[in-house]
Amino acid sequence: MSRNGLRRPTALACSAALLLTVASCGRAGNEATSPPADGAGASNGSVTVSGIPTAATKNTTRVWAASPTAIAAAAARAVYPGRGRNQRPLAIVLADANNWQATVAGAVLMAAPLHAPMLLSSGSQLPPVTQAALSTLAPTGAGDNGPQLIRLGNVAAPVSLKTQPLTGNDPFTLAAAIDAYQAKISGRWSKSVVIAPSASPAIAMPAAAWAAKSGNPVLFSERNSLPPATAAAIKAHGRPRIYIIGSSSTISAAVASQLGKLGNVTRIGASSASANAIAFARFSDSSFGWGVVDPGHGLVIANPAAAATAGAVAPLSASGSYGPLLLTGRGGALPADLINYLRDIRPGYSSDPVRGVYNHAWIIGDTNAVSDRSQATIDSLLEIAPITGASATR
């Protein structure tokens, strides 16, 4: 049966923040959440509004790098500091920075059992930043015969690491190969799959974060036709729950009807990149979906123009504070719908902030990707605040 439109989940009860038992939670009012005045966020490359360092504010941490390869290396190192064997990954995924579909589909390998972060090549070349990260991360290998490196498509092959290649002549066959490998190593086919548009990278990006957290694969469809490789991959799951990300302008109703013959179909999303990401973040259907409609969560915020980073930063969504991928405007500013969403999930407290819950955001890229003004605004919108007046009754 096909269900179109966003399904809004019921708000959850108070969330746990880290290991604390929470005595109270709630959404705060709108005090001190206005964006800085025009011009207040002018960047000189190292400091931002009122001298706040843009590397980190009290509620945000920036992965400061300009290129997708450097962002991938930084995100992998944040998740796996590499100072001891238990801080090193079993394996690393290597994808091409020029193949955004491979990075989105490959994010599923960050899920159990491998929990493999992603590094990026530049075609068949291995950039120095990626070489350095491979050396520092020093993957231990997944068991006696497991690989240390999983290569997606035509990427570099370091001879010093035991390698598992996954290949495909197009995004559809490569995504299917990744899905089959994830099923093999986890010992089962997942009960849910995400279908993303192969020609709309900004719409597909949020699916990577969910795949990394859940182990649900991302497969691709064209707008008006369902590729045979994708249909065959879905059939291997045995009539799974199928979730289309994006509106009918990216994957048509006709394709949704075809998918309905292979499983139970639900469409999640909206036309704009930011609204689509928010819809995916809010969505919940039994065990599927983030369901982030309340305070007390991690968030990852990136620029929709940097599609190759979606899979590379997915480990930040699948560890630490966990949380969905949200998107700015292409110029790095915050769209109104994202500001309103952050305000809606802003944490609050009634008596003591120590007993509240907290939000934290990873900011992806330098200030050309997400402006320092935007970071300052995000920090303000994430700040826990007293619940007063009308906000206490929401």
Side-chain angles (χ1 to χ4, degrees):
M1 182 177 75
S2 175
R3 293 177 289 163
N4 293 331
L6 172 63
R7 175 177 174 179
R8 292 179 61 95
T10 303
L12 301 176
C14 296
S15 300
L18 300 179
L19 299 181
L20 295 176
T21 299
V22 179
S24 65
C25 68
R27 295 178 179 82
N30 294 333
E31 297 87 349
T33 61
S34 298
D38 289 343
S43 173
N44 63 9
S46 60
V47 295
T48 182
V49 179
S50 302
I52 299 171
T54 55
T57 64
K58 59 189 180 300
N59 299 303
T60 70
T61 307
R62 185 185 286 269
V63 177
W64 189 294
S67 70
T69 53
I71 287 170
R77 289 291 310 279
V79 173
Y80 289 102
R83 298 303 181 186
R85 188 176 178 86
N86 64 342
Q87 293 183 329
R88 290 158 52 195
L90 297 175
I92 291 171
V93 176
L94 186 62
D96 186 352
N98 300 310
N99 186 346
W100 70 264
Q101 293 99 334
T103 73
V104 169
V108 74
L109 299 172
M110 178 61 195
L114 275 187
H115 302 290
M118 182 177 293
L119 297 175
L120 299 178
S121 72
S122 180
S124 60
Q125 302 299 312
L126 207 59
V129 69
T130 303
Q131 294 181 29
L134 276 171
S135 176
T136 302
L137 291 167
T140 60
D144 293 336
N145 298 310
Q148 296 168 286
L149 185 73
I150 302 169
R151 297 171 54 240
L152 306 184
N154 184 29
V155 295
V159 295
S160 60
L161 298 177
K162 185 175 181 181
T163 300
Q164 169 68 57
L166 299 177
T167 60
N169 295 325
D170 52 56
F172 317 108
T173 55
L174 179 56
I178 294 168
D179 177 26
Y181 183 72
Q182 172 66 11
K184 177 182 177 181
I185 61 176
S186 61
R188 63 181 181 85
W189 293 91
S190 67
K191 296 180 179 179
S192 300
V193 301
V194 179
I195 305 298
S198 62
S200 300
I203 297 299
M205 285 173 72
W210 175 251
K213 187 260 185 186
S214 66
N216 298 153
V218 182
L219 302 170
F220 293 104
S221 177
E222 296 177 317
R223 182 183 185 276
N224 293 313
S225 63
L226 182 65
T230 299
I234 294 171
K235 289 177 182 177
H237 289 260
R239 296 197 61 80
R241 292 176 295 172
I242 302 169
Y243 297 90
I244 301 173
I245 182 169
S247 70
S248 58
S249 65
T250 57
I251 295 179
S252 69
V255 170
S257 179
Q258 287 181 270
L259 289 168
K261 299 175 182 178
L262 304 175
N264 186 47
V265 175
T266 301
R267 187 188 293 274
I268 314 160
S271 296
S272 74
S274 59
N276 178 74
I278 292 166
F280 200 77
R282 286 185 178 277
F283 183 83
S284 178
D285 180 19
S286 184
S287 61
F288 182 95
W290 293 104
V292 176
V293 296
D294 54 359
H297 301 282
L299 305 167
V300 180
I301 301 178
N303 190 304
T309 64
V313 301
L316 301 175
S317 290
S319 58
S321 56
Y322 291 81
L325 176 67
L326 302 171
L327 298 173
T328 68
R330 287 186 174 269
L334 301 184
D337 52 13
L338 180 53
I339 290 175
N340 290 334
Y341 176 62
L342 295 179
R343 183 178 287 124
D344 188 45
I345 63 170
R346 186 183 184 192
Y349 67 93
S350 57
S351 59
D352 186 351
V354 173
R355 305 303 173 195
V357 296
Y358 305 95
N359 290 341
H360 173 270
W362 289 96
I363 308 295
I364 305 304
D366 62 15
T367 54
N368 291 317
V370 181
S371 71
D372 48 11
R373 179 183 180 186
S374 292
Q375 184 175 6
T377 303
I378 293 166
D379 180 81
S380 179
L381 290 166
L382 298 183
E383 176 71 4
I384 190 169
I387 301 174
T388 59
S391 64
T393 62
R394 281 196 290 172

